[in-house]
């Protein structure tokens, strides 16, 4: 025991001396001896605390408190320890402080107890979180034990609860914001839904409302109490809004109770008054407590709802609870109250209030009802819709159905929709009323609304039923009058009139509110009288209907229907159109729903061409909403306003809007013939031709259904349809349409002119497509039309321009010039003509009537072409005289004349032959014409472009200026860029030419002349391959009238054929050049170089007869030309033509003619000493032709002589040697055959790689059975199989020859020559060629080789290859399939292989 005491003293001394380690050791010694020693644990805890060993210290203190809980020393030590650790041990601190305070309570030491509590709460405030601080404050609240002991020494509970409320508010706010921020980033999260979910979670778990209630209960300050009552209501309301619908009921009761409490206290908290006033589900506004409304006005003088309520309480629609109306006014039974403010001020006040409180259902409901009372139906409907939306939000927030308020708002909306833009919104109104009647079958307003809608739909029996049911519920003069009017509309005019008169007697004449009803009733009585007796005398009687209409206006001067009826009376019966028009204008000014008045006005304005006024009237009727009947209505729609708008917009060239207008008219009246015609014309003018076709065809179908007797004159639709077909390029259909119209209107100038121009356009189109005969047929038919037209209208510019175009067509199809009806043209030009007109520019171009008549005397082809050009010029000159007063037409006329002069210059054959004294006269006249056109219209880019073209030869500087000026006006014209590029090319500036042509290509990639220019540029710089491809592309995208492209492409293609032997033997590669030259031959009279080229291409494709005829004509022309000029160049061309003619005759089988012409060519070459390469080629061709011709004629010696000459001329060319050897072998004896073999052997020595020589020597060796030669040549033959330069025909010959050698001369050991081995080798070396597979298929019964033969042959057939039809036919014949045998026959019916294969398969 003494040791324990000494140790305790030592520990105490160590603590005093701050020797904490010794204190710990001594305390532990004591505890080792006495574990339950209280002071040792206290000393140990204190020492450990000083050493910052908090956990061990806490354990020591707790051990001490467990030993002696009533001693404050250990608790004080714990509190000191916890304070050192900040907020980490606040919960333990709370427990220790509570225990220590309890000890002081027991000790009745209030000061020390309060000190502990204050110290703890202050520490929690400084170091703890808000939740920990709140927890510390809870010890001060009533019921904690400390409050009763320290009451008066600590904070009042109201202040404590206030601090706690502030802490909880901050916590909830931060938690809500944090959770929303976290959850909104999740996939698929929506901010609104996330906000609702988070608030629901936080507010449901909140105890803030209880805290607010405690503050309210404990506070002595009324202001504080009201403040926290507001906060309590607001928090409860927010919680109610966040709760799901199923859990709102109990919370809603609490919210309503709180709100009513504040309202009873007349506390100005807006939310409380909103809940009290707007959550009351009343059928009418009158059911609300007027005193409560006035209190709201007093408490919230600046609130928006207050402004609405002030207007309402001061308005006619307000009915106080003690009022008892003693008369019927209308279906809403409102009592008029003398207003304290003007109606305008009241409306402004209420409108401002709604703007201030746009979310108030009550304000919107009152405002909508007031608008309805004022008959401002659009505003009433708009406001009611807003009320519906806000009511839905209120219902969703409160969980109340508010069905009575909803029905009241729906009744206001439905009633407004019945009148607003009727009948557009009637379906919606019907839906609203029916939903109300489903809940409230006796709702008078709903019954009236449905009755009015049915009346508008012409379902009068049903309308009468509904209105009478409404009268039973709410007896009203207005409803009775409406029911009576429905009876009158249903045909019972007498009953309706009697009932209307009864209603009229019930109306007070002095009552201002009934003046509109009185005017309406008088008008309807007048209409009943008007319809009861429809005789003219009765309707003229001013004491009958007329008097009622006047009385109606006396009752209400603004009653529009009465003005309409008076307008009809004055116009149709009183014959006073001026007064009638004024009445219609007044009616329409008062109401845009007066459709009859609007239609009469539109018709009168249209008759005087006042289209602006027509548009105003029609547009206002459209905006009235009276045109389209509602779905299910028996009423017919009104389409004329849309049609009138369409006509106005069509006249003002606003085609997009006119299309919409006519479409709207047709939606209402699908069988409106004139709307279909107008729609078709609008589509046509806007360039939508397919749609125009459909519209006009529909109009014609309606025409067939209705007949002309109902529609009147219907030719215009046929005319417009023909115009559409013309624009679509369907000229045959267009011409047929114009003819149909002309049968109805014989001398309709516009139709006749359109038919004439369409025929000309069809002619030009046929020229572009290459149908030259069709073009001439169109011209001849157009000539007949022009002859008829000129007899009764010969002063039209378009007529003479068209006649000039007709004559110009022949200059583009010169091969048909003999079909020119020269006499008809002469009659046309001379008809009622003043010959002085034709002398225009005659001093320059020398073309007048006398010159034309003199040229008609010669019937030669050249003269006919000249006559054609002069006729076109004279026609264009006469066109100029017909447009003296039209500057634009004169500019165009000079422009047309300029091109006619230029065409005459181009087509003048004398110009190039040197027989013309003034070869540039037409060109100079053309320049003068284009200058005149530019003077009249300098902003036309085409005029400048044309001037540049015609001056390019005369004055390059002027030409360049003209082109540049044209591009300045319109830089998107590809033709001008092309012309400028070619001009630069002609002047030698290749860089500028390239730039201009590239710009033309980028502007219009399909402009063929731009590609031609690029091709010419490439040809100049020796880019032959590039030029060839450009020429080909230009030809592909050009039309048949592009003669220069045809010439250039044909020359380029022929040059490529000469440079490529493979292409030269390909028929496919010759088709396009042949097409180009054939089209060129139809468009030009004489073009010897290209005719000669055409014959050469015909020769290559086997058209030998045509080639011979063409070459004979060329030879005759050249012979005549040589006799005149004796030019050596002409002589050389003549010799060349003779050589080509002999070759064609040889191929044709005319051996005598071929031999004669060949020898003639040789003789002509002897006369030509030029010694050119062309002469050598001509001589070689002539020698070969003569040799082969004599060979076929049996003149072997002469043939051999010619071949020897060919050998000499060709310097022993290998091909010539082969040809000579074939002739010697075929016609000679043993000596000749030996010579032929020797020639071939010598040729092989000189030209060992010549495939033709090797093949021919191998063939001769087989025929001669020369085994030694076969042995020598076999290796060379097998070596040929690996070469790539062999043609397909040579490959086939090689395979056949090797196969024959393998069969006839097989080796015993070496199997290379075996047929199958040869075929396999051929396939291995050339697997893509069909000959090896064909040979293999003939040696085996397996199907694969024949299938591969067909596959490879198809790939080698044109256009992908050069395989001939005969070869492809043989491949098909080699398969064991019946359909392939039929294909073989179809490809080459003259070949026996296909027929044999088919016979074998059939057998």
């Amino acid at each position: 025991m003494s040791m324990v005491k000494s140790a305790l003293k030592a520990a105490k001394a160590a603590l005093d001396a701050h020797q904490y380690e010794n204190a710990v050791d001594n305390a532990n010694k004591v505890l080792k001896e006495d574990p339950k020693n209280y002071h040792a644990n206290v000393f140990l805890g204190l020492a450990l605390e000083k050493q910052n060993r908090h956990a061990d210290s806490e354990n020591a203190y707790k051990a001490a408190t467990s030993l002696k809980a009533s001693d404050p020393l250990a608790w004080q030590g714990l509190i000191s320890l916890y304070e050192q650790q900040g907020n980490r041990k606040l919960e333990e601190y709370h427990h220790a402080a509570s225990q220590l305070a309890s000890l002081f309570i027991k000790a009745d030491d209030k000061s020390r107890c309060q000190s502990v509590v204050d110290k703890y709460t202050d520490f929690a405030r400084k170091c703890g979180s808000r939740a920990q601080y709140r927890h510390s404050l809870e010890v001060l609240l009533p019921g904690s034990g400390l409050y009763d002991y320290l009451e008066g020494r600590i904070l009042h509970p109201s202040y404590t609860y206030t601090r706690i409320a502030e802490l909880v508010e901050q916590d909830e706010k931060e938690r809500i914001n944090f959770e929303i921020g976290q959850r909104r980033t999740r996939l698929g999260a929506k901010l609104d839904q996330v906000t609702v979910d988070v608030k629901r979670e936080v507010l449901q778990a909140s105890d803030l409302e209880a805290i607010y209630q405690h503050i309210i209960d404990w506070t002595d300050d009324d202001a504080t109490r009201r403040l926290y009552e507001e906060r309590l209501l607001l928090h409860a309301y927010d919680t109610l809004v966040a709760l799901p619908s199923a859990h709102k009921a109990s919370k809603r009761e609490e919210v309503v109770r709180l709100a009513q409490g504040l309202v009873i206290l007349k506390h100005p908290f807006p939310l409380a008054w909103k809940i009290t006033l707007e959550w009351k589900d009343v059928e009418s506004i009158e059911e609300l407590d007027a005193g409560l409304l006035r209190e709201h006005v007093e408490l919230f003088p600046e609130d928006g709802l207050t402004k609405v309520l002030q207007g309402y309480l001061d308005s006619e629609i307000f009915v106080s609870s003690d009022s008892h109306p003693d008369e019927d006014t209308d279906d809403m039974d409102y009592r008029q109250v003398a207003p304290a403010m003007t109606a305008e001020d009241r409306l402004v006040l209420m409108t401002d209030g709604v703007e201030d409180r746009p979310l108030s259902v009550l304000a919107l409901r009152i405002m909508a009802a007031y608008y309805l009372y004022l008959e401002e139906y659009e505003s009433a409907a708009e406001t009611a819709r807003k009320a519906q939306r806000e009511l839905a939000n209120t219902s969703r927030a409160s969980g109340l159905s508010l069905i009575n308020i909803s029905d009241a708002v729906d009744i206001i909306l439905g009633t407004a929709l019945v009148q607003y833009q009727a009948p557009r919104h009637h379906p919606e109104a019907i839906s609203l009323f029916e939903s109300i009647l489903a809940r409230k079958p006796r709702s008078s307003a709903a019954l009236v609304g449905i009755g009015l809608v049915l009346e508008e739909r012409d379902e009068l029996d049903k309308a009468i039923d509904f209105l009478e049911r409404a009268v039973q519920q709410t007896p009203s003069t207005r409803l009775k009058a409406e029911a009576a009017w429905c009876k009158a509309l249903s045909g019972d005019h007498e009953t309706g009139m009697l009932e209307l008169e009864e209603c009229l007697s019930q109306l007070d004449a002095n009552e201002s509110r009934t003046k509109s009803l009185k005017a309406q009733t008088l008008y309807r009585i007048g209409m009943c009288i008007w319809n009861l007796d429809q005789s003219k005398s009765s309707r003229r009687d001013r004491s009958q209907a007329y008097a009622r209409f006047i009385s109606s206006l006396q009752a209400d001067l603004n009653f529009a229907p009465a003005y309409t009826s008076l307008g009809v009376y004055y116009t149709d019966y009183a014959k006073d159109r001026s007064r009638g028009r004024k009445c219609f204008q007044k009616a329409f000014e008062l109401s845009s729903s007066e459709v009859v008045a609007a239609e009469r006005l539109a018709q009168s304005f249209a008759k005087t061409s006042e289209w602006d006024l027509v548009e105003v009237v029609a547009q206002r009727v459209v905006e009235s909403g009276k045109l389209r009947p509602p779905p299910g209505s028996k009423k017919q729609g009104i389409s004329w306003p849309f049609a009138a708008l369409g006509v106005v917009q069509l006249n003002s060239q606003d085609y997009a809007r006119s299309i919409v207008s006519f479409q709207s008219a047709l939606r209402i009246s699908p069988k409106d013939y004139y709307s279909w015609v107008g729609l078709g014309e609008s589509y046509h003018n806007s360039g939508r031709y397919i749609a125009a076709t459909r519209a006009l065809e529909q109009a014609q179908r309606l025409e067939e259904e209705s007949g002309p007797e109902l529609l009147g004159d219907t030719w215009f639709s046929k005319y417009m349809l023909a115009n559409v077909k013309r624009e679509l390029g369907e000229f045959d259909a267009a011409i047929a349409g114009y003819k149909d119209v002309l049968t109805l209107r014989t001398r309709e100038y516009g139709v006749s002119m359109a038919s004439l121009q369409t025929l000309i356009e069809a002619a030009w189109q046929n020229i572009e497509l290459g149908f030259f005969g069709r073009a001439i047929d169109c011209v001849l038919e157009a000539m007949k039309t022009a002859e008829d037209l000129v007899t009764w209208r010969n002063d039209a510019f378009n007529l003479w321009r068209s006649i000039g175009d007709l004559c110009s067509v022949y200059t583009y199809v010169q091969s048909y010039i003999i079909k020119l009806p020269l006499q008809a043209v002469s009659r046309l030009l001379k008809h009622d003509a003043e010959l002085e007109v034709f002398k225009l520019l005659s001093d320059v171009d020398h073309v007048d009537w006398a010159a034309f008549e003199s040229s008609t005397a010669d019937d030669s082809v050249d003269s006919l072409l000249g006559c054609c050009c002069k006729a076109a010029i004279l026609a264009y000159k006469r066109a100029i005289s017909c447009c003296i007063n039209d500057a634009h037409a004169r500019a165009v006329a000079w422009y047309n004349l300029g091109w006619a002069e230029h065409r005459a210059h181009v087509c003048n054959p004398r110009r190039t032959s040197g027989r013309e004294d003034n070869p540039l006269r037409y060109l100079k006249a053309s320049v003068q014409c284009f200058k005149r056109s530019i003077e009249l219209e300098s902003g036309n880019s085409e005029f400048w472009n044309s001037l540049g073209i015609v001056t390019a030869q005369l004055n390059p500087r002027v030409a360049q200026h003209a082109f540049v000026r044209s591009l300045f006006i319109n830089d998107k014209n590809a033709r001008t860029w092309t012309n400028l590029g070619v001009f630069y090319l002609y002047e030698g500036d290749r860089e500028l030419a390239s730039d201009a042509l590239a710009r033309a290509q980028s502007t219009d990639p399909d402009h063929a002349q731009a590609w031609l220019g690029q091709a010419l540029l490439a040809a100049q710089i020796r880019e032959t391959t590039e030029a060839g491809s450009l020429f080909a592309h230009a030809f592909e995208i050009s039309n048949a009238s592009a003669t220069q492209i045809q010439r250039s492409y044909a020359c380029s293609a022929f040059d490529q054929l000469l440079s490529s032997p493979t292409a030269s033997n390909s028929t496919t590669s010759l088709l396009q050049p042949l097409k180009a030259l054939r089209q060129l031959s139809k468009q030009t009279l004489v073009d010897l170089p290209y005719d000669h080229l055409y014959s050469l291409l015909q020769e290559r494709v086997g058209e030998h007869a045509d080639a011979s005829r063409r070459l004979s004509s060329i030879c005759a022309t050249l012979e005549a030309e040589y006799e005149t000029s004796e030019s050596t160049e002409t002589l050389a061309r003549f010799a060349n033509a003779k050589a080509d003619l002999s070759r064609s005759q040889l191929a044709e089988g005319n051996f005598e003619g071929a031999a004669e012409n060949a020898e003639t060519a040789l003789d002509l070459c002897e006369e030509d000493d030029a010694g050119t390469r062309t002469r050598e080629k001509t001589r070689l061709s002539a020698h070969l032709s003569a040799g082969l011709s004599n060979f076929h004629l049996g003149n072997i010696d002469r043939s051999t002589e010619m071949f020897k000459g060919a050998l000499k001329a060709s310097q022993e060319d290998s091909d010539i040697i082969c040809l000579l050897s074939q002739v010697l072998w075929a016609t000679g004896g043993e000596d000749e055959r030996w010579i032929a073999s020797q020639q071939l052997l010598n040729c092989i020595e000189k030209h060992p790689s010549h495939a033709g020589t090797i093949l021919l020597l191998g063939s001769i060796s087989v025929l001669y059975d020369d085994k030694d030669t076969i042995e020598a040549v076999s290796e060379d033959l097998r070596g040929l199989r690996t070469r790539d330069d062999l043609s397909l025909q040579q490959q086939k010959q090689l395979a056949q020859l090797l196969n024959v050698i393998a069969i006839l001369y097989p080796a015993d050991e070496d199997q290379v020559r075996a047929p199958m081995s040869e075929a396999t080798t051929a396939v291995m070396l050339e697997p893509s060629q069909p000959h090896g597979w064909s040979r293999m298929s003939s040696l085996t019964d397996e199907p694969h080789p024949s299938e591969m033969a067909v596959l490879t042959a198809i790939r080698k057939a044109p256009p992908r290859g050069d395989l001939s039809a005969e070869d492809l036919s043989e491949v098909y014949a080699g398969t064991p399939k019946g359909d392939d045998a039929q294909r073989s026959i179809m490809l080459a019916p003259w070949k026996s292989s296909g027929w044999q294969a088919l016979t074998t398969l059939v057998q």
Side-chain angles (χ1 to χ4, degrees), residues 188-210:
K190 296 181 179 179
L191 181 59
D192 294 340
Q193 187 60 41
V194 167
T195 303
V196 171
D197 293 341
V198 171
K199 284 187 175 181
R200 183 187 303 121
E201 294 174 8
V202 174
L203 295 177
Q204 275 186 299
S206 174
D207 57 351
L208 194 56
E209 292 179 25

Side-chain angles (χ1 to χ4, degrees), residues 744-760:
L744 300 174
R745 299 177 70 88
T746 310
R747 292 203 167 186
E748 185 68 39
Y749 169 73
V751 180
S752 298
M753 197 68 242
S755 177
L756 175 61
Q757 291 175 337
T758 304
L759 286 166
I760 296 172

Side-chain angles (χ1 to χ4, degrees), residues 263-430:
V263 170
I264 290 171
L265 296 174
K266 298 183 181 181
H267 180 63
F269 183 49
L271 179 60
W273 288 87
K274 172 186 175 182
I275 293 171
T276 302
L277 292 177
E278 300 194 2
W279 287 16
K280 280 190 177 181
D281 191 17
V282 293
E283 290 188 5
S284 65
I285 305 172
E286 291 78 14
E287 297 180 25
L288 293 172
D289 185 357
L292 200 62
L293 299 181
R294 291 189 178 93
E295 289 176 0
H296 184 280
V297 172
E298 294 174 1
L299 290 173
F300 305 98
E302 300 299 326
D303 187 62
L305 179 58
T306 294
K307 296 178 182 178
V308 175
L309 290 175
Q310 281 179 328
Y312 166 68
L313 294 172
D314 194 52
S315 70
E316 301 89 337
I317 65 172
F318 170 66
V319 180
S320 63
S321 58
D322 59 345
S323 65
H324 300 284
D326 55 357
E327 63 178 1
D328 291 331
T329 55
D330 56 19
D331 56 317
M332 299 198 111
D333 204 21
Y334 292 139
R335 183 176 65 84
Q336 183 178 6
V337 178
M341 63 178 75
T342 63
E344 291 79 4
D345 293 340
R346 184 185 307 114
L347 183 59
V348 170
L349 179 66
M350 297 176 71
T351 304
D352 291 342
V354 170
E355 291 178 357
D356 292 342
R357 285 288 298 274
L359 304 182
S360 172
V361 176
L362 180 59
L364 291 169
R365 179 182 177 183
I366 293 173
M367 194 72 237
Y370 191 61
Y371 277 135
L372 187 63
Y373 168 75
L374 296 176
E375 297 183 357
E376 294 289 339
Y377 300 115
E378 181 179 3
S379 299
E382 182 181 351
T383 308
R385 291 189 191 281
K386 293 179 181 177
Q388 281 183 326
R389 290 193 292 269
E390 295 308 321
L391 182 61
N393 294 334
T394 301
S395 179
R396 186 165 48 251
S398 65
L400 293 169
S401 61
L402 302 176
I403 192 65
N404 290 326
I405 299 178
S406 177
D407 288 346
V409 173
D410 288 349
I411 286 173
I412 295 173
L413 176 59
T415 305
L417 293 178
V418 169
Q419 303 296 334
Y420 173 55
Q421 291 188 345
R424 177 184 296 178
H425 304 292
H426 283 180
E428 183 181 358
I430 284 284

Side-chain angles (χ1 to χ4, degrees), residues 1251 1255 1259 1262 1274 1276-1282 1286-1303 1312-1326 1329-1336 1338-1339 1370:
L1255 287 171
S1259 301
V1262 170
S1274 293
D1276 293 333
L1277 289 171
R1278 283 193 288 272
L1280 288 177
R1281 293 185 298 189
T1282 60
L1286 269 65
S1287 65
L1288 191 62
Q1289 189 67 23
Q1290 287 177 328
Q1291 291 175 357
K1292 180 180 177 183
Q1293 293 173 357
L1294 176 61
Q1296 291 176 343
L1297 181 58
L1298 288 173
N1299 186 60
V1300 169
I1301 293 174
I1303 295 173
V1312 174
R1313 297 183 181 180
M1316 180 56 75
S1317 178
E1318 286 295 334
T1320 304
T1321 304
V1323 169
M1324 180 188 69
L1325 292 174
E1326 293 288 342
Q1329 299 297 335
H1331 53 269
W1333 293 105
S1334 296
R1335 184 58 189 164
M1336 185 180 292
S1338 66
L1339 299 174
E1370 287 185 4

